[in-house]
Amino acid sequence: MVRRPVAWVVAVVLFVEAFFLAALNWFLGEVVHRQKMSLAGLDPDVMSTSSKVGGVVFGLYFALCGLVALLVALRNRRPAGFGRILLISAAVVHGLLGAFAWGLVGWSAFLFMVVVLGLIVLLLMTYDREEGSPAGAAEDGAAPDGEGPGSGEGPRGGGEGPVDADGPRDGDAGGPVTPPAEPSTA
């Protein structure tokens, strides 16, 4: 199973990123405050405060995303609801930050953002794929007793073979396929 280690790695990376992002913005805010720098006539105190507040907000955001990834790793279940939305938004943010980092910082920052983006997407995709497997299937790929192909018993006991709750899908050998009626020309 590769999904649990991926969740652990994503959680650690997001926590570290949250800390460094908040610390960097706090540092930059202090630099602006101590040197009384101004950009196009803006008040240095406002710039300093906004840098610090922005760093704390983004740090908490990435820490919350890291907490979701940590809960996924601990529970070994896919994120649902608000946690899933948070991880998807973190992937989008990393994609955008990667695009900006390429032009502003360089290829190494871009590479870091793309790697984190890939890890978050891998976390989301591995849990979706595993959830899509049939319920009751054994971990090693073998079907439980009495439910394999050729056992003669489907989930409804009528001998029709395995049937999903959603109905038969393309490629299922569950039952006869009726071709569509030919159009009449009269």
Side-chain angles (χ1 to χ4, degrees), residues 40-107:
L42 293 174
D43 184 21
D45 292 331
V46 172
M47 289 175 48
S48 172
T49 304
S50 63
S51 176
K52 291 176 183 178
V53 168
V56 168
V57 168
F58 270 104
L60 289 175
Y61 168 70
F62 284 130
L64 187 59
C65 293
L67 180 65
V68 170
L70 180 66
L71 290 174
V72 167
L74 290 173
R75 295 177 181 166
N76 200 21
R77 286 186 296 166
R78 72 183 194 141
F82 185 67
R84 184 170 180 78
I85 292 170
L86 268 176
L87 287 177
I88 291 171
S89 69
V92 170
V93 166
H94 278 87
L96 291 172
L97 287 177
F100 289 128
W102 179 272
L104 297 175
V105 181
W107 66 270

Side-chain angles (χ1 to χ4, degrees), residues 15-50:
F15 282 132
V16 169
E17 187 177 13
F19 173 76
F20 280 114
L21 186 67
L24 176 67
N25 277 323
W26 193 272
F27 172 74
L28 291 176
E30 279 297 314
V31 168
V32 169
H33 177 71
R34 289 184 182 181
Q35 293 189 359
K36 301 293 182 199
M37 296 174 148
S38 177
L39 179 66
L42 293 174
D43 184 21
D45 292 331
V46 172
M47 289 175 48
S48 172
T49 304
S50 63

